[in-house]
C-alpha cells in the first residue's frame, strides 16, 4: 500500500522554464510534507517542507503547494537549471510512536533539465 | 560540519557473517535514523533514535540490531542476513522537531 505516490517517473524541462513535480497521498493525518533531491551515489538532500496547515511555502527558486482537499502537493522550480537534474522524492510525516509514526517517501521523479 | 558520514561505502558479506554499519554526525542533532532503500524504490524507515534512545522500530527483523553509543554515533549490527537484505542503507539525522533530515551517502550492502 503506497501511501505517497509520484505518478510521473520522469520529467524533462528546458533550462529557464518551470519544472512542476507532483505528489499524491492517501492519509489525511500527515503533519508535514517535504521534498528531497537525490543525486546518484549520494543520500537525499532536504529541499523544502510545508506544514499541513499551510497551502504554500517558498524558498528561492523552490515553491511547494499543498492542496489538502485533493491530497496533492507539488514542487515548482523556477527557473530550472541543469544542476537541478536529479531524482526528486516527496515525503510525508506524521508524529507518534511505533505503529502511528510515519515518515514515508514517494516513489521519486527523475527530472532532467536540458541546456 | 554539516555532514552525516557513513562507513563503509560498500560491503559484501556472507549469510553467516557479522558486520556493522557506522554513521557519525557532529551537528548536534539528537535524532538519528536508519533507512533501507532497494533499487528503484523509495527509502523505507527502519529505526528512529531520539536522545540516544530507540523510539521507533518499524517491525524490522532481529537480524538487524541498531545501537546508539552516544549522541554522535549510530551503528547497525548485521547478523545472519539474507540475500534479499541487499540494499542501500542510509543513515540520517535531524534536530528534534525538525522534519527535514540530513542524509549520509549510504552503505551499499550485498549479501551473498
Amino acid at each position: 500500500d503506497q501511501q505517497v505516490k509520484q505518478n510521473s517517473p520522469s520529467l524533462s524541462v528546458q533550462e529557464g522554464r518551470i519544472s512542476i513535480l507532483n505528489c499524491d497521498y492517501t492519509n489525511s493525518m500527515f503533519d508535514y510534507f517535504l521534498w528531497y533531491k537525490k543525486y546518484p551515489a549520494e543520500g537525499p538532500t532536504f529541499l523544502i517542507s510545508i506544514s499541513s496547515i499551510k497551502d504554500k511555502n517558498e524558498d528561492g527558486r523552490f515553491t511547494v503547494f499543498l492542496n489538502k482537499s485533493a491530497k496533492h502537493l507539488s514542487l515548482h522550480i523556477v527557473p530550472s537549471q541543469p544542476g537541478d537534474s536529479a531524482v526528486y522524492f516527496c515525503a510525508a510525516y506524521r508524529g507518534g510512536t511505533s505503529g502511528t509514526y510515519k515518515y514515508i517517501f514517494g516513489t521519486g521523479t527523475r527530472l532532467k533539465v536540458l541546456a | 560540519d554539516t555532514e552525516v558520514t557513513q562507513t563503509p561505502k560498500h560491503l559484501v558479506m556472507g549469510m553467516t557473517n557479522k558486520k556493522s554499519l557506522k554513521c557519525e554526525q557532529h551537528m548536534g542533532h539528537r535524532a538519528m535514523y536508519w533507512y533501507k532503500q532497494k533499487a528503484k524504490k523509495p527509502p523505507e524507515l527502519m529505526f528512529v533514535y531520539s536522545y540516544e534512545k530507540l523510539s521507533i522500530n518499524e517491525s524490522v527483523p532481529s537480524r538487524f540490531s541498531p545501537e546508539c553509543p552516544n549522541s554522535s554515533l549510530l551503528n547497525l549490527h548485521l547478523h545472519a542476513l539474507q540475500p534479499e537484505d541487499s540494499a542501500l542503507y542510509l543513515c540520517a539525522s535531524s534536530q528534534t522537531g525538525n522534519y527535514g533530515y540530513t542524509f549520509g551517502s549510504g552503505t551499499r550492502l550485498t549479501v551473498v
Side-chain angles (χ1 to χ4, degrees):
Chain A
D1 175 25
Q2 186 65 35
Q3 296 186 42
V4 181
K5 290 182 186 177
Q6 294 172 254
N7 291 317
S8 299
S10 62
L11 175 69
S12 290
V13 171
Q14 206 66 35
E15 181 180 6
R17 306 294 292 269
I18 183 171
S19 295
I20 301 177
L21 298 119
N22 294 304
C23 179
D24 297 296
Y25 59 96
T26 58
N27 188 334
S28 59
M29 302 298 288
F30 289 121
D31 301 311
Y32 273 85
F33 300 90
L34 308 99
W35 284 94
Y36 286 83
K37 176 169 75 172
K38 187 179 186 302
Y39 293 120
E42 294 183 13
T45 300
F46 168 68
L47 280 175
I48 191 169
S49 65
I50 187 167
S51 164
S52 61
I53 62 172
K54 301 202 177 216
D55 54 21
K56 178 182 174 181
N57 188 26
E58 192 171 354
D59 184 2
R61 296 187 297 117
F62 301 94
T63 303
V64 57
F65 295 92
L66 176 62
N67 182 334
K68 288 185 287 294
S69 61
K71 295 192 177 68
H72 177 84
L73 67 153
S74 60
L75 176 68
H76 292 208
I77 307 174
V78 183
S80 301
Q81 299 172 353
D84 296 328
S85 298
V87 177
Y88 288 78
F89 289 97
C90 62
Y93 164 81
R94 175 190 173 187
T97 57
S98 287
T100 57
Y101 181 100
K102 302 283 182 195
Y103 201 112
I104 302 174
F105 281 84
T107 46
T109 296
R110 183 176 300 279
L111 173 66
K112 190 170 185 179
V113 179
L114 306 169
Chain B
D1 188 353
T2 58
E3 288 187 347
V4 173
T5 303
Q6 289 188 245
T7 55
K9 292 200 181 305
H10 300 274
L11 178 63
V12 179
M13 61 185 290
M15 289 189 282
T16 58
N17 290 160
K18 282 186 183 181
K19 295 286 184 185
S20 296
L21 309 184
K22 296 188 183 303
C23 173
E24 191 168 359
Q25 57 88 14
H26 296 287
M27 295 177 280
H29 291 174
R30 301 310 296 272
M32 296 186 77
Y33 315 85
W34 280 115
Y35 276 80
K36 173 181 175 180
Q37 186 176 19
K38 303 277 277 185
K40 299 194 188 302
K41 296 285 188 183
E44 293 181 353
L45 182 66
M46 300 173 72
F47 302 105
V48 178
Y49 271 84
S50 180
Y51 292 91
E52 296 93 72
K53 286 187 168 40
L54 181 64
S55 59
I56 304 288
N57 177 341
E58 291 289 277
S59 302
V60 179
S62 59
R63 57 186 184 268
F64 295 92
S65 175
E67 178 198 19
C68 190
N70 60 54
S71 60
S72 299
L73 292 174
L74 185 65
N75 298 321
L76 186 62
H77 302 299
L78 314 172
H79 175 53
L81 295 194
Q82 303 296 310
E84 59 264 29
D85 296 320
S86 299
L88 180 69
Y89 288 84
L90 292 161
C91 173
S93 70
S94 71
Q95 297 282 12
T96 51
N98 186 333
Y99 312 110
Y101 297 169
T102 302
F103 278 86
S105 298
T107 294
R108 187 158 299 282
L109 174 69
T110 304
V111 181
V112 298

